[in-house]
Amino acid sequence: MTVEQLAQCDGMCALACPAPEREICGVYIGDLLSWVMGRAEADNVWITIMSNVNIIAVAALADTACIILAEGVTLEPSVLETAMAKEINVLQSAKPIYETALLLHELC
Amino acid sequence: MSEPLKFQYEVDGDNFTSAGQASVQVKKVLRRLGLDPETIRRVSIAMYEGEINMVIHAGGGEAEVLIYEDSIEIILRDKGPGIADIDQAMQEGFSTAPDNIRSLGFGAGMGLPNMKRYTDDMQIESTVGVGTTITMRVNL
């Protein structure tokens, strides 16, 4: 499944989608950035509620396919600009983390 | 053996939001050199953790990356407070980061362990009150 297809699912919304064709494989959930860098695998979907600019660097370095901000969390415009510049996909889920993960379990 | 490719970066200690710029630059360089994605991931994450540590604890520092034919060496130097007990600092979950840093998602006590996890060799030289130099190597 691609990030673009995931973004079209119910309850999902693309906040920044500079690399829509990227394939997703697996899911990692966490808000502590070093845990994410230590445990997330390349091409994972990363679900978090963190929204500061450092998540963009973490997603870039860990090479995740996309970030999903759960609970309807949004990004500041400047962080969205950084996401576009660094080619990091960011989706938003209206649902809490658990329900978002269940949706991904059904899809992947 | 031919001379290594050498890159040097200043790590700005005042700007937490720009932390990681050196790592992202290195990632681009390694990508251009055609290294495999997992090696790029390991090097750039280890370096980013080091950069973040320098910003949180040492007011910045300098990073040097040497690309040899068979390995990549990352040297991080700072003039911060030093690490009093390196064994303790290496334990997962041990952190001296302040609350404002933790609220950003850092300070989980995973930085140094991640640097060790993602590299083939890591040496820490630290003197309290003088600074810390960390040398990491990733084999190609």
Side-chain angles (χ1 to χ4, degrees):
Chain A
M1 174 177 239
T2 66
V3 173
E4 186 173 31
Q5 289 167 330
L6 177 60
Q8 287 162 358
C9 295
D10 263 0
M12 291 286 179
C13 164
L15 299 180
C17 211
E21 72 294 342
R22 187 139 180 197
E23 286 285 334
I24 60 177
C25 180
V27 178
Y28 189 82
I29 299 172
D31 300 321
L32 295 176
L33 303 185
S34 287
W35 275 91
V36 177
M37 283 189 286
R39 301 284 200 271
E41 293 175 9
D43 302 322
N44 275 179
V45 171
W46 169 28
I47 310 175
T48 183
I49 52 165
M50 274 289 169
S51 60
N52 66 71
V53 70
N54 298 297
I55 65 170
I56 306 301
V58 168
L61 296 169
D63 207 15
T64 56
C66 75
I67 301 171
I68 296 181
L69 298 171
E71 307 270 11
V73 168
T74 57
L75 291 183
E76 295 285 331
S78 63
V79 180
L80 276 177
E81 275 174 33
T82 306
M84 291 301 288
K86 300 254 164 74
E87 297 196 339
I88 300 301
N89 297 313
V90 185
L91 310 185
Q92 181 195 59
S93 167
K95 296 174 179 168
I97 287 177
Y98 178 68
E99 279 79 4
T100 303
L102 286 179
L103 173 67
L104 283 160
H105 182 69
E106 283 168 25
L107 294 171
C108 298
Chain B
M1 197 173 145
S2 58
E3 285 287 301
L5 283 172
K6 189 171 172 180
F7 300 89
Q8 281 181 305
Y9 305 92
E10 289 291 320
V11 178
D12 183 354
D14 297 325
N15 192 346
F16 202 85
T17 54
S18 71
Q21 279 181 349
S23 317
V24 171
Q25 283 301 318
V26 166
K27 187 177 180 182
K28 279 183 193 161
V29 168
L30 299 181
R31 207 181 257 166
R32 272 205 301 274
L33 290 172
L35 294 181
D36 74 280
E38 190 53 30
T39 300
I40 295 173
R41 211 173 97 92
R42 288 171 61 203
V43 170
S44 52
I45 289 176
M47 187 167 165
Y48 182 61
E49 292 282 18
E51 261 193 271
I52 292 292
N53 278 348
M54 287 198 282
V55 175
I56 295 174
H57 299 288
E62 54 184 44
E64 192 175 314
V65 178
L66 298 156
I67 304 171
Y68 295 93
E69 280 174 29
D70 59 353
S71 66
I72 297 173
E73 196 168 70
I74 306 156
I75 305 166
L76 306 168
R77 296 187 189 88
D78 70 59
K79 292 177 179 161
I83 304 169
D85 185 338
I86 291 174
D87 288 340
Q88 190 179 35
M90 287 302 300
Q91 288 172 19
E92 290 192 1
F94 178 82
S95 175
T96 57
D99 285 347
N100 65 321
I101 298 299
R102 290 172 195 260
S103 69
L104 292 172
F106 291 109
M110 292 294 288
L112 287 172
N114 271 354
M115 289 157 73
K116 189 170 176 64
R117 172 202 294 258
Y118 282 127
T119 56
D120 292 298
D121 184 62
M122 180 168 98
Q123 303 293 331
I124 303 176
E125 291 168 46
S126 190
T127 306
V128 172
V130 177
T132 300
T133 297
I134 296 184
T135 305
M136 297 180 278
R137 199 187 71 248
V138 172
N139 295 329
L140 297 178

